[in-house]
Amino acid sequence: MPELPEVETTRRGLEPHLVGRRIERLCLREPRLRWPVPETLPEELPGQRIQGLDRRGKYLIAHLDQGDLIIHLGMSGSLRVVEPVVPAGRHDHWDLELSDGWVCRYRDPRRFGSLLWTDGPAMRHPRLRDLGPEPLDPAFDGDYLYTASRGRRLAVKAWLMDSHIVVGVGNIYANEALFRAGIHPARAAGRISRTRYMGLAQAIRATLGEAIDQGGTSLRDFVHEDGKPGYFRQSLSVYERAGCPCPRCGRSLQRRLIAQRATYLCVHCQR
DNA sequence: ACTGGCTCCTGAGGGC
DNA sequence: TGCCCTCAGGAGCCAG
């Protein structure tokens, strides 16, 4: 499941292969993604140079001469750079054929990802416009979380996973960060103190930062853009570890559902 | 304005 | 061995 660290790992891996190249052609095999790939896209792209590759939350943004490409990996998406002779598989939905002869190939078995286009700045696109702060930006801190959460009765874990509050905190890292901060995931977001939110902001930064440093988590079908599986999973404290001993107190970790999402916690350490 | 529930999709994994 | 069922998950959307 590409979360923010995986997307950033993908961005870093792709950047040297994409930036500066021109797009010769978009080969679109399957436009039915999370949102349909715009029909006019194959006509927009040829000849455009890729000027930069950015990330906003879990979105990748390729800046072109005229407009921006907006890519989301969804649940099972991956991007890699391959030689054109490599045959496309069943779930390889589109290729960007580059001016240096290489191909940037998008694979997404579950088709929850997207390929969008805007002729203006991506940040003004409806998908990006209302996103919350980047968790690794200075603007994201305990004060922000405390202020934003006042009056919210939602479980803090579900609240944290709302990209309008903060981007890039998916289920894995929400579980991990709440464990690290010692906060019970079902606690109402509006009933957590400023001090505890300071700890949570720090826990989120640390958890995501470490995952990026280690090259992203590998879960099920995530594969790095260079084809190597990630290896952060071994450092997860609670995610998918129900019944295992809590790394802090040794009691058995629990699994429960919060907002229809699998949640892992230590009921002793998290209050 | 919030909140909870639902939806898209496919592969993995468990039970029999 | 093989089939069937359930589950997983990002994030938008909708109804209450």
Side-chain angles (χ1 to χ4, degrees):
Chain A
M1 325 292 117
E3 298 210 38
L4 188 147
E6 287 82 357
V7 178
E8 178 60 23
T9 301
T10 298
R11 191 197 69 74
R12 292 179 185 183
L14 284 179
E15 190 173 38
H17 297 282
L18 298 192
V19 175
R21 275 60 160 187
R22 270 179 300 107
I23 297 172
E24 300 285 346
R25 197 171 83 96
L26 168 65
C27 173
L28 183 58
R29 300 183 196 83
E30 175 55 90
R32 295 175 303 164
L33 303 183
R34 175 67 173 81
W35 295 283
V37 177
E39 287 178 23
T40 59
L41 201 49
E43 294 132 55
E44 300 276 2
L45 298 187
Q48 293 223 46
R49 211 170 68 93
I50 302 170
Q51 299 182 344
L53 188 63
D54 282 338
R55 179 187 59 73
R56 178 73 175 98
K58 296 177 187 168
Y59 291 92
L60 289 169
I61 302 164
H63 300 289
L64 308 184
D65 293 325
Q66 306 278 333
D68 290 339
L69 275 178
I70 302 171
I71 301 164
H72 199 292
L73 301 179
M75 287 295 310
S76 57
S78 61
L79 282 165
R80 69 191 65 198
V81 176
V82 298
E83 293 179 274
V85 291
V86 178
R90 178 150 93 95
H91 302 296
D92 292 336
H93 303 314
W94 52 262
D95 290 347
L96 288 180
E97 298 173 9
L98 303 171
S99 52
D100 62 358
W102 289 77
V103 167
C104 177
R105 179 163 288 168
Y106 179 79
R107 173 174 298 180
D108 186 2
R110 295 182 193 177
R111 290 197 275 119
F112 277 20
S114 56
L115 174 64
L116 296 171
W117 161 257
T118 170
D119 53 13
M123 294 309 173
R124 274 195 235 140
H125 190 277
R127 298 278 77 79
L128 304 186
R129 201 173 44 201
D130 303 319
L131 291 177
E134 289 286 330
L136 299 177
D137 268 11
F140 175 80
D141 60 14
D143 281 332
Y144 166 77
L145 285 177
Y146 177 77
T147 305
S149 62
R150 291 310 90 184
R152 301 296 299 268
R153 284 177 292 179
L154 204 58
V156 62
K157 174 165 173 279
W159 181 74
L160 213 51
M161 290 172 64
D162 181 346
S163 62
H164 299 100
I165 304 305
V166 56
V167 296
V169 183
N171 200 33
I172 297 173
Y173 297 104
N175 278 298
E176 293 296 312
L178 286 165
F179 172 75
R180 193 189 278 239
I183 295 173
H184 197 293
R187 179 174 289 273
R191 303 200 53 188
I192 294 172
S193 72
R194 187 186 296 268
T195 306
R196 302 191 80 202
Y197 269 128
M198 300 283 186
L200 181 57
Q202 178 53 34
I204 291 169
R205 279 193 298 266
T207 307
L208 291 174
E210 287 166 20
I212 291 172
D213 289 346
Q214 296 183 43
T217 306
S218 175
L219 284 175
R220 301 205 174 90
D221 48 12
F222 177 74
V223 177
H224 275 196
E225 91 294 332
D226 62 359
K228 292 180 193 145
Y231 38 84
F232 183 69
R233 185 168 193 195
Q234 61 212 31
S235 1
L236 296 178
S237 295
V238 294
Y239 188 76
E240 287 195 338
R241 293 184 59 82
C244 297
C246 167
R248 187 179 296 155
C249 75
R251 291 175 172 85
S252 186
L253 295 172
Q254 288 188 16
R255 176 190 189 275
R256 60 179 69 173
L257 277 185
I258 294 177
Q260 290 80 243
R261 287 288 181 260
T263 302
Y264 302 87
L265 74 156
C266 173
V267 293
H268 175 72
C269 295
Q270 293 175 258
R271 294 287 164 178

